[in-house]
Amino acid sequence: MKDTGVPSNNVKECCSTCDDSVDTTVDLEHDHSSHSNFKAYIPGLFSFIFLITGIVFDYFNLDFFKNWVRLSWYVIAYLPVGLPVARQGLNSIKKGDFFTEFFLMTIASVGAFILGEYPEGVAVMVFYTVGEEFQHAAVSNAKKNIKALLDVRPKEAFVLKNNTYVSVDPDTVSIGDKIQVRAGEKIPLDSTLLSDKATLNTAALTGESKPSTVRKGERVFAGSINLDNVIELEVVAAFKDSSVARILELVQNATSRKSKTELFIRKFARIYTPIIVVLALGVTLIPYFIVDNYIFEDWLYRALIFLVISCPCALVISIPLGYFGGLGAASRNGILFKGASFLDTMTKINTVVLDKTGTVTKGIFKIKEIKTLSNYSEEEFMRYLIAMETKSTHPIAKAILQYSSDELPLEATAITEIAGKGLSGTINGKEILVGNKTLMQANALQLPANTNSVVESLVFMAIEGHIVGYVILADELKDDAQHMISNLRKAGISKIVMLSGDKDSITQQVAKELKIDWAKGGLLPEDKLREVELLKKQTGVYVAFTGDGINDAPVLAVSDVGIAMGGLGSDVAVETADVIIQTDQPSKIATAIQIGRSTRKIVWQNIALAFGVKAVVLLLGAGGLATMWEAVFADVGVAFLAILNAIRLQKMNW
């Protein structure tokens, strides 16, 4: 990876028009922030002090400050900032690139000296150099912000070897090794928890500040911080395949994948600068043929102003910086864009398609209602049901076992699993049946009439040939599902669609509860793909699809923007999606859209600012109404304003 730091001569290549691939990649391996420290400003500060002192001497018209003394003074002021720029321009010319800002600034400043405008010649270089330092500092700061958010790689892992835990490099740990993590330390690799439970801070990975509790047997991710006691884990992925390594790679790649706006500006700058040079020659020579009182020095001075203004630094630096701000802001909110191009595409989205299970709902069954019949109380009914379900590993059984009871548990015996239907067994000598409608009907048991209209999952229990009650279970909506819909509406999304593999009746009920425009259930992955393709064929429709699993990968790939929910645990989702929401918060979809729009707005503000001011000063310069001082403002000043505008993104909240 190319180093984008300040060269030893204090002149940056980062906004050079001679560099076709301005490096805006976040280097997560090295930190070049030292380049933006005070030392980098010393040459500019030295020259600035000499410049101001010389201007004061000129103002008071001091006798000693004449002729060769005055020239020598300004040459001394010029050399610390002028020589590095001239050297860089010469190196570029040797490589075949004539029209760089180094060349333009050197010609303009030397020309000012030849015309006797010494202060202006020095000022061009001083403000250009200092402006470049500010630009580089802003870029470095933006990179550092992203790096600080995501550089959560642990430096060591304590691995069990010969009955003792020893410190090793995480890269050397193998799958299946047992590791120990103490309170306050980062989990070094993706693992399964061996301890009973752990409280983890996953903010660096997910953007979620609330600590999460993990139980024995559940997966934990590298980069999470253990908040409580010492925990033991079993490694399930090598470091290079861990969640944090994937995230770091995604961020690094994201900053190198340029938007169309960035690519266009770079190409434009390479064409724009030579045109300005030709126009500057025209400003110098053409008036000779059309102006009566042609004075070469006056028109040359105007041409030099033209050259100073032409430097496209404000565009070439502030635009990538704007996208840096957008990517950093997204990361801070637990959202990863795989490239700046997707920040742009996100602004066009007007239709959002949602998967149901795991995206809008938690994908975890929960008891919604308990109905008892005959003389059984809810407590007694659940004691029998829990005794039966204790022997099952089905997700529905896990939901039922979440029911808390103070009563002593019952013991079920002779339990037999009836595939696809339920269980049979004995409790206290009584024959028990637990299962779905099909199991009850197969045993000629009469179902309660009011259960026919229930769309959620039902679990019935029969004792000694009589149904004594049932439990209604539903996949629970995520906490911010309603918030997501309202935020999408506020963001101007015209159509919200839900596509699910779950039963159509359940899908329609969830859609009705959330007030989703249109929904369809009972779909296979290829059915979802077909529905999204049909949407995309409609004129002016830009589709973002949001899913969470392997079966959503085809649709994620074909959408204009594919958004993966909870991407930490899904390799396929991470690989296929364009945007990854690291938390399980669907409301982040609207946040991603808003960040994309804010980024694009600031980028275009910078483009308009740079072109607008430059165009005005170019015309004034050609007409002899602007001096070199205005030209310096049009170049360095506008670049500085554009940078300040871009930095705003890093401070915004959505």
Side-chain angles (χ1 to χ4, degrees):
M1 182 177 297
K2 187 178 77 175
D3 183 351
T4 61
V6 184
S8 58
N9 56 18
N10 296 315
V11 178
K12 274 67 58 196
E13 295 180 81
C14 61
C15 78
S16 172
T17 53
C18 70
D19 186 352
D20 192 46
S21 57
V22 179
D23 187 359
T24 53
T25 307
V26 176
D27 188 344
L28 296 169
E29 299 297 334
H30 305 94
D31 184 3
H32 302 299
S33 59
S34 59
H35 288 298
S36 59
N37 61 21
F38 181 73
K39 288 182 180 179
Y41 294 92
I42 290 177
L45 185 61
F46 174 87
S47 295
F48 179 75
I49 292 171
F50 262 69
L51 171 64
I52 295 300
T53 307
I55 291 172
V56 171
F57 290 163
D58 279 337
Y59 181 79
F60 289 104
N61 197 25
L62 300 178
D63 292 336
F64 80 91
F65 199 64
K66 306 285 185 182
N67 302 321
W68 67 269
V69 174
R70 183 171 182 265
L71 174 61
S72 299
W73 185 276
Y74 282 115
V75 167
I76 292 171
Y78 179 84
L79 291 177
V81 289
L83 278 182
V85 177
R87 190 184 305 121
Q88 199 67 44
L90 184 62
N91 290 338
S92 298
I93 290 171
K94 289 178 180 178
K95 296 175 184 177
D97 287 314
F98 287 86
F99 302 111
T100 65
E101 78 270 18
F102 308 121
F103 173 73
L104 299 183
M105 291 298 174
T106 302
I107 294 297
S109 58
V110 170
F113 265 84
I114 291 171
L115 295 175
E117 302 291 347
Y118 307 146
E120 295 183 17
V122 175
V124 167
M125 282 302 186
V126 167
F127 289 109
Y128 170 73
T129 301
V130 173
E132 288 290 283
E133 287 295 347
F134 278 123
Q135 291 171 15
H136 181 71
V139 172
S140 295
N141 188 53
K143 290 181 180 182
K144 199 159 49 177
N145 286 345
I146 295 175
K147 185 173 181 286
L149 283 166
L150 292 169
D151 192 9
V152 292
R153 295 166 297 182
K155 303 298 185 285
E156 62 179 350
F158 288 94
V159 182
L160 183 63
K161 292 184 178 180
N162 300 322
N163 295 320
T164 184
Y165 286 98
V166 295
S167 175
V168 299
D169 190 309
D171 282 321
T172 65
V173 181
S174 303
I175 295 173
D177 282 352
K178 289 181 174 56
I179 60 174
Q180 185 183 79
V181 180
R182 291 171 289 202
E185 292 181 346
K186 295 173 185 173
I187 293 172
L189 302 108
D190 288 2
S191 309
T192 299
L193 185 64
L194 298 177
S195 302
D196 290 334
K197 71 171 185 175
T199 303
L200 306 177
N201 179 347
T202 60
L205 299 174
T206 65
E208 178 60 55
S209 58
K210 184 180 178 182
S212 59
T213 300
V214 181
R215 307 279 176 191
K216 184 175 182 177
E218 294 182 350
R219 186 168 178 177
V220 297
F221 298 105
S224 303
I225 299 173
N226 177 28
L227 297 178
D228 284 343
N229 303 320
V230 175
I231 57 173
E232 295 182 339
L233 311 106
E234 182 176 322
V235 176
V236 296
F239 180 76
K240 63 182 178 64
D241 300 320
S242 67
S243 54
V244 65
R246 291 204 312 271
I247 291 171
L248 294 170
E249 183 182 0
L250 283 171
V251 173
Q252 188 163 357
N253 291 339
T255 56
S256 64
R257 293 168 108 174
K258 311 303 176 190
S259 69
K260 290 181 180 179
T261 309
E262 286 181 272
L263 296 174
F264 167 75
I265 289 298
R266 288 207 191 129
K267 291 177 182 177
F268 174 80
R270 292 180 67 82
I271 299 169
Y272 158 87
T273 307
I275 289 174
I276 290 296
V277 172
V278 172
L279 290 175
L281 286 172
V283 168
T284 306
L285 302 175
I286 292 175
Y288 174 79
F289 301 100
I290 58 176
V291 175
D292 292 333
N293 298 317
Y294 175 78
I295 301 174
F296 174 76
E297 288 81 1
D298 289 349
W299 290 99
L300 176 60
Y301 182 72
R302 296 182 188 186
L304 295 177
I305 293 171
F306 224 67
L307 292 179
V308 173
I309 298 168
S310 71
C311 182
C313 295
L315 293 170
V316 179
I317 283 296
S318 66
I319 290 171
L321 186 60
Y323 286 108
F324 266 136
L327 292 171
S331 298
R332 198 164 53 248
N333 282 274
I335 304 165
L336 286 180
F337 282 85
K338 281 194 176 178
S341 59
F342 299 116
L343 278 167
D344 275 346
T345 308
M346 209 64 169
T347 65
K348 301 177 183 177
I349 296 301
N350 50 30
T351 301
V352 172
V353 181
L354 305 163
D355 176 44
K356 183 183 76 69
T357 308
T359 300
V360 174
T361 65
K362 294 180 179 179
I364 301 171
F365 283 104
K366 190 174 182 180
I367 295 175
K368 183 177 180 181
E369 196 172 354
I370 300 170
K371 290 283 188 179
T372 60
L373 310 172
S374 302
N375 296 320
Y376 285 87
S377 67
E378 178 182 308
E379 192 79 23
E380 189 177 9
F381 170 81
M382 289 304 297
R383 286 181 71 204
Y384 275 90
L385 186 57
I386 289 171
M388 293 291 292
E389 295 289 7
T390 302
K391 307 298 182 181
S392 175
T393 58
H394 194 279
I396 285 180
K398 291 182 180 179
I400 290 171
L401 294 175
Q402 294 298 312
Y403 183 88
S404 60
S405 173
D406 295 331
E407 298 288 333
L408 292 173
L410 297 173
E411 183 68 31
T413 57
I415 290 180
T416 303
E417 185 169 349
I418 305 164
K421 296 178 182 178
L423 304 165
S424 66
T426 303
I427 299 176
N428 294 336
K430 298 176 181 178
E431 291 185 7
I432 312 293
L433 276 179
V434 172
N436 56 23
K437 290 180 181 179
T438 307
L439 179 62
M440 299 297 120
Q441 290 168 342
N443 285 273
L445 298 176
Q446 185 67 38
L447 297 172
N450 58 350
T451 59
N452 293 326
S453 60
V454 177
V455 298
E456 293 94 347
S457 299
L458 287 165
V459 175
F460 295 90
M461 184 169 70
I463 299 177
E464 294 291 320
H466 297 284
I467 294 177
V468 296
Y470 57 91
V471 176
I472 302 174
L473 297 108
D475 187 0
E476 190 180 9
L477 284 176
K478 287 187 177 178
D479 296 334
D480 66 339
Q482 294 281 6
H483 194 45
M484 166 197 65
I485 300 299
S486 62
N487 281 0
L488 287 174
R489 301 289 188 201
K490 289 175 185 175
I493 299 301
S494 58
K495 191 171 188 178
I496 303 173
V497 176
M498 180 184 290
L499 302 176
S500 177
D502 205 348
K503 290 191 300 183
D504 188 59
S505 57
I506 295 176
T507 303
Q508 296 300 336
Q509 186 185 49
V510 172
K512 184 179 179 181
E513 187 176 348
L514 292 175
K515 297 180 181 177
I516 286 172
D517 300 319
W518 180 74
K520 194 171 185 180
L523 300 175
L524 296 171
E526 54 267 32
D527 299 325
K528 291 184 185 180
L529 183 63
R530 184 175 61 253
E531 293 292 344
V532 169
E533 287 176 333
L534 288 173
L535 282 171
K536 284 187 66 180
K537 287 179 182 178
Q538 298 177 23
T539 306
V541 172
Y542 290 89
V543 178
F545 178 84
T546 307
D548 72 317
I550 294 173
N551 60 339
D552 293 323
V555 202
L556 287 168
V558 79
S559 304
D560 293 300
V561 176
I563 304 173
M565 290 291 297
L568 284 180
S570 175
D571 291 336
V572 176
V574 168
E575 292 298 324
T576 311
D578 307 311
V579 180
I580 299 162
I581 294 176
Q582 296 168 254
T583 65
D584 272 337
Q585 297 173 282
S587 60
K588 296 285 188 182
I589 301 168
T591 305
I593 293 171
Q594 290 168 337
I595 289 173
R597 289 176 180 173
S598 296
T599 301
R600 189 166 180 80
K601 183 179 179 181
I602 279 183
V603 164
W604 280 101
Q605 284 174 351
N606 284 348
I607 291 173
L609 174 68
F611 276 119
V613 173
K614 283 181 181 288
V616 170
V617 181
L618 278 172
L619 291 173
L620 292 174
L625 300 176
T627 67
M628 198 74 78
W629 296 103
E630 282 86 357
V632 169
F633 169 76
D635 175 42
V636 178
V638 170
F640 187 64
L641 291 176
I643 288 166
L644 291 178
N645 191 36
I647 288 173
R648 287 196 303 125
L649 267 172
Q650 299 171 39
K651 310 297 181 184
M652 287 183 181
N653 292 311
W654 290 270

